[in-house]
Amino acid sequence: MPSLLISHIAAVTGAGSGIGRAIALGFAREGASLAVIDIDAETAKKTAAEIDGEGGKAQAFTLDVTDAKACRAVANEVAAKLGSISILVNNAGIARRNAITADPDAVAKDWQDIMAINLTGAFNVTQAFLEQLRAAKGRIVNLGSIQSFVHIRTPSSAAYTVSKHGVLGFTKALAAELGKDGVRVNAIGPGFIATPLNANTRANHPEYVKVFMDHTPLGRAGTPEDIVGPAIFLASDLSAFVTGTIVMADGGYRTV
Ligand code: NAP
């Protein structure tokens, strides 16, 4: 009987799709109750229904993580409907592919959107749930990337790399500040994971996928399920003395 997260209540943002959906399902299978949060009400409901269908407990919540006031409202709603959370996964994120030399208006919009969702979004949601997490001596898991360390040789917005470096910095700062409250804060650094985020790249640019694969000792793209184990590790007591770090799940990308 899986039980690593029994009696935990977890909130996962961007849980209607890809990695967030897989983490929500994986946490539920370990006994957690889930607040399934996404900007898309329909996909959030679908993930929550899948969890219910497997005998788990979940509620769907619609939230744009860039809206700080809405984040506070949803945090209150989650506490009222499910209970105070002990685990937060800041997963909602977007990627864009314009080079810095592309059309200035497009690049500026990419910058604003990516920072607002990937970095400020994680801040907004964390701040909204902070008192719940402190009360529970909880755990925060942020979604970083190989781009928390390096830029990549396939088209990728500079803003994405900056945002994911920021996510790692945010992880370290929170771990340092919240350790005295018993709150642990870590990140996961996925490599190239096959999700809707990169569906266009996979469908139309095999040459970009090859660049990734040539740089990945395990020689394959990851799946959303490849991120579930690291997420359970960081959210559970298995990682009781782990904080302020990033667990890479990148097929070895950063070793070559
Ligand atoms: P995904 O399948 O596109 O899922 C992201 C989810 O976040 C979607 O449901 C999306 O909704 C939602 N979302 C977007 N903007 C939002 C907002 N403002 N507020 C709330 N939810 C929002 O992408 P993924 O690949 O699973 O990515 C999940 C995380 O992993 C991201 O932080 C990403 O940067 C990171 N990551 C992914 C990879 C990879 O190779 N896939 C690698 C490294 C890191 P919509 O679909 O409606 O926009």
Side-chain angles (χ1 to χ4, degrees):
M1 189 68 181
S3 59
L4 286 167
L5 299 177
I6 214 109
S7 82
H8 281 282
I9 300 173
V12 182
T13 67
S17 175
I19 293 170
R21 171 185 164 276
I23 290 174
L25 280 156
F27 280 8
R29 287 175 194 141
E30 290 295 335
S33 300
L34 263 296
V36 176
I37 299 173
D38 203 285
I39 194 168
D40 183 331
E42 290 313 309
T43 60
K45 276 187 204 153
K46 205 163 161 240
T47 302
E50 280 184 85
I51 291 170
D52 283 343
E54 292 188 3
K57 186 174 173 195
Q59 289 248 0
F61 300 87
T62 311
L63 175 67
D64 178 347
V65 299
T66 68
D67 183 342
K69 200 170 156 206
C71 289
R72 290 195 288 274
V74 163
N76 290 335
E77 203 186 334
V78 168
K81 289 187 173 162
L82 270 179
S84 188
I85 69 162
S86 49
I87 299 167
L88 170 63
V89 181
N90 283 310
N91 166 82
I94 61 166
R96 303 257 173 84
R97 311 244 169 242
N98 281 319
I100 196 77
T101 47
D103 169 64
D105 289 340
V107 174
K109 179 161 175 27
D110 288 350
W111 183 277
Q112 277 155 14
D113 293 349
I114 289 171
M115 291 303 170
I117 296 171
N118 294 11
L119 193 50
T120 309
F123 166 79
N124 289 339
V125 177
T126 301
Q127 200 178 41
F129 280 107
L130 196 55
E131 289 319 310
Q132 295 183 39
L133 289 161
R134 290 177 75 212
K137 298 191 190 306
R139 300 96 205 252
I140 300 172
V141 180
N142 296 320
L143 266 290
S145 165
I146 51 183
Q147 286 172 255
S148 294
F149 298 94
V150 293
H151 195 56
I152 53 175
R153 286 217 167 107
T154 56
S156 179
S157 159
Y160 188 84
T161 295
V162 175
S163 74
K164 293 301 180 180
H165 273 64
V167 164
L168 182 54
F170 186 49
T171 300
K172 291 175 183 175
L174 288 184
E177 287 200 31
L178 299 177
K180 66 179 181 328
D181 298 326
V183 177
R184 295 188 297 105
V185 189
N186 292 288
I188 299 174
F192 186 75
I193 310 295
T195 72
L197 186 92
N198 48 39
N200 179 47
T201 300
R202 285 180 288 113
N204 301 314
H205 295 286
E207 72 281 17
Y208 298 161
V209 177
K210 184 174 182 311
V211 172
F212 272 106
M213 292 309 101
D214 287 349
H215 209 292
T216 302
L218 290 182
R220 66 169 175 87
T223 66
E225 287 67 34
D226 285 321
I227 308 304
V228 175
I232 291 170
F233 169 69
L234 292 175
S236 72
D237 290 343
L238 289 176
S239 58
F241 201 51
V242 180
T243 197
T245 195
I246 184 166
V247 173
M248 299 307 291
D250 63 357
Y253 185 98
R254 282 200 318 133
T255 61
V256 293

